[in-house]
Each structure stands twice: as structure tokens, then as C-alpha cells.
Amino acid sequence: MTRSIPGIHHVTAISGPPQPNVDFYTGPLGQRLVKKTVNFDAPDTYHLYYGDRTGSPGTIMTFFPFADAGPGRPGPGMAAAHAYAVPSGGLEAWMARLGDDAIDFDLGERFGQRLLTLRDPDGAAVELVETAGAAGGEALDGFHSVTLWERDPEPTARVLTEIFGYLPQGEEREGATTRLRFVAPGGARGSIVDVIRVEGTHLARPGAGTIHHVAFRAESDAVQLEWREKVLAAGHRVTPPIDRNYFNAIYFREPGGVLFEIATDPPGFAVDEPEDRLGEALKLPPQYEARRAQIERILPPVRPRA
Ligand code: ZN
């Protein structure tokens, strides 16, 4: 049995109209649109996937764009930020680049690493964290971490440590609150989950600019089933594996309320179009092919920034 989850597979968020989202992630952030498909549970909306050239696990940020989504607000029981890794010393180039694009950012430090915090077009927090060992150059090197907001971090911490095999890596004061860090051993991309304790009465409001779920990696279908048994044995309700075309997924809500997914690495995004054409055509799962003409009439055209 695998002893720990290697890290994040993908993060899925809600956005407003698709084109500004595409412009931001393929423009200033330099991500590749690796899949243009529909929400398999609501095929009249897109599901857009961004990542590295092939959409490797640990680099994949995905969005459900709703043209009329009202603005959301992160709160307890929600993932509130996703962070990308950049090489040590890489932030100067990023600050210049973001400045050229007139994108505001804040420079900070967290657990001894410098980071930039910026906002995507829907106000979602995007962080760029200097990470020893991140690939060189000016491109993002996949995920560094995700931050969860919780009223009580303890039950969430138990899922991460007792089920997923993450190790506590200490805590840091952050303003009036505390950030707790958990790390998957093995040093894969996106191996960090931070949990912030949220005080007060404010509530999460799902909508544009909020994260819908966080997906963790399973190397194969067999490993995914082993994780499913562990989640069940710990007393959580979890779905059976669901075919998402590019991976198989199981879902469960961690005790604090964040929707967790465990997604398989295979088969990946080249399963239904060649690697050098990823993201160009609207791809539909077989169950919606018969409705393609109708779906294409509803969806607004989107174009990656060249
Ligand atoms: Zn997902």
C-alpha cells in the first residue's frame, strides 16, 4: 500500500465569463489550456483545464465558468487560495512581468519562502511561492500548495495526517490567526496543504472566484481504491469512482466542509486528442456527443491568448 498521497492532482474553481479567465491563465500566468470540455454534471457550461504542456498531475487548475455567477467569498470550510511554485530568486522577473501587465500583487513571506499574492479576474487569490527545487526559467512549475480555511483545523488535520499520510510541518502566526502546514513526504509537486483557523462569524459564499474542490493524486485505479477503503474505514462517506474521461475520481467532504477528491494520474489529457493540439477543440464525453450541436450553440467561443 502506498503510504501517502503524493500531492495535489488538480484544483477546481468557479469563474465568471470564460474569456477573461482564459486570458489570465494562458496570458500572464503562461499556462496551457490543455482541455476545453463541459461540466460533466451540467453540460451547458464549460470545464476548462490549464496546466503545463501535457497537463501533468500537480499542475492542473480547472474552472467551471458561469457567465452569470455572482461573486463568491471564501470562508470556513473552503479552500481559499492556490499557490504555484517558482524557482528561488524567480519573483523579481515575475514582479516585472506582472507590472507590465498592470496586475497588482503583494510581496510577502511565509515559512521562510517569499511569495506574491495576486488576484485572478474573479478575485480568486493566486500565490506564486519561491520554492527550492522548482524548475528554472520563468514558467510556473505547477502547484506549491493550497490553503484551506477552517473553523477547527483539528479534524481536517486528522484526515491529512491519519488518512493521507501528510506530516505536520509546524505553524506560523498570520495576522490574528494561525497557519498550520502539512506536507506529503516525497517532494512531489503540490505536496503542501496549509490550514488556516478562521475566527468570527463570517460565512463562505460559493460563487465566482471561489474554489469548488481540491483533488489529490492516486497513481492508479488500484491505489485509488485503497485510498477509498481508508477514507471509508475512517468513517467518511465517499462516492464510488466516477469516470471523468481524463482521470477517475472519488469525492468526499472532509469534516470542516471542503470537498476533497482523489483523482487517478492516468489516463491524462492526450486520451482524446493529440498532445500538440490539446485544448483546441471542444471535447465532449461520449454521453454528450449526440447533443454537440446544441451544446456548441450555448457555449460562448473562447480563445487562448497566443
Ligand atoms: Zn475535480
Side-chain angles (χ1 to χ4, degrees):
M1 165 90 206
T2 315
R3 309 240 319 262
S4 99
I5 295 263
I8 297 164
H9 182 282
H10 65 268
V11 176
T12 294
I14 299 166
S15 79
Q19 190 62 53
N21 181 263
V22 172
D23 287 343
F24 181 79
Y25 282 90
T26 64
L29 289 197
Q31 300 297 285
R32 186 178 188 199
L33 179 64
V34 292
K35 193 62 63 183
K36 187 164 61 177
T37 184
V38 293
N39 182 337
F40 287 11
D41 300 321
D44 54 347
T45 53
Y46 277 120
H47 193 178
L48 303 177
Y49 290 75
Y50 307 96
D52 67 0
R53 222 190 82 74
T54 59
S56 311
T59 74
I60 309 157
M61 184 70 201
T62 98
F63 288 89
F64 297 130
F66 293 97
D68 55 357
R73 183 180 61 196
M78 202 182 255
H82 67 283
Y84 289 103
V86 303
S88 298
L91 286 187
E92 268 66 31
W94 272 99
M95 287 190 272
R97 188 159 149 188
L98 294 169
D100 289 346
D101 281 312
I103 295 172
D104 282 337
F105 53 82
D106 290 312
L107 177 62
E109 191 172 315
R110 185 184 292 163
F111 287 90
Q113 296 175 309
R114 296 197 310 161
L115 79 157
L116 297 183
T117 302
L118 43 145
R119 300 276 162 184
D120 80 2
D122 294 294
V126 181
E127 299 167 335
L128 311 185
V129 184
E130 285 191 339
T131 307
E138 288 187 11
L140 303 176
D141 189 26
F143 288 127
H144 169 273
S145 59
V146 65
T147 297
L148 314 181
W149 284 8
E150 302 284 5
R151 286 219 185 282
D152 176 9
E154 189 49 41
T156 306
R158 278 203 294 275
V159 170
L160 294 170
T161 58
E162 293 173 12
I163 303 178
F164 286 4
Y166 280 54
L167 304 172
Q169 288 277 301
E171 57 183 71
E172 195 172 273
R173 290 299 293 172
E174 187 166 299
T177 186
T178 306
R179 176 181 292 269
L180 298 94
R181 175 154 292 188
F182 301 88
V183 180
R189 282 172 163 147
S191 60
I192 296 173
V193 175
D194 283 353
V195 181
I196 284 190
R197 182 190 300 276
V198 182
E199 315 278 357
T201 55
H202 104 223
L203 295 175
R205 186 174 61 214
T210 63
I211 292 174
H212 185 267
H213 64 267
V214 178
F216 296 87
R217 284 175 60 193
E219 294 89 334
S220 68
D221 289 324
V223 170
Q224 182 188 56
L225 286 178
E226 292 176 2
W227 288 120
R228 186 170 185 277
E229 289 306 313
K230 288 193 83 168
V231 171
L232 279 173
H236 305 284
R237 288 169 44 174
V238 56
T239 70
I242 299 171
D243 182 355
R244 296 306 192 188
N245 248 18
Y246 312 107
F247 45 85
N248 289 320
I250 60 173
Y251 301 87
F252 72 102
R253 213 166 274 284
E254 59 84 25
V258 182
L259 185 60
F260 278 0
E261 173 183 342
I262 299 174
T264 55
D265 287 356
F269 295 100
V271 71
D272 62 356
E273 58 187 338
E275 204 170 282
D276 60 346
R277 308 297 296 271
L278 290 180
E280 291 179 15
L282 176 68
K283 305 307 290 186
L284 297 177
Q287 66 267 35
Y288 296 131
E289 244 343 304
R291 292 168 57 187
R292 173 175 284 274
Q294 179 203 354
I295 289 170
E296 286 183 341
R297 269 197 308 276
I298 295 169
L299 295 173
V302 297
R303 194 175 310 118
R305 211 197 264 193

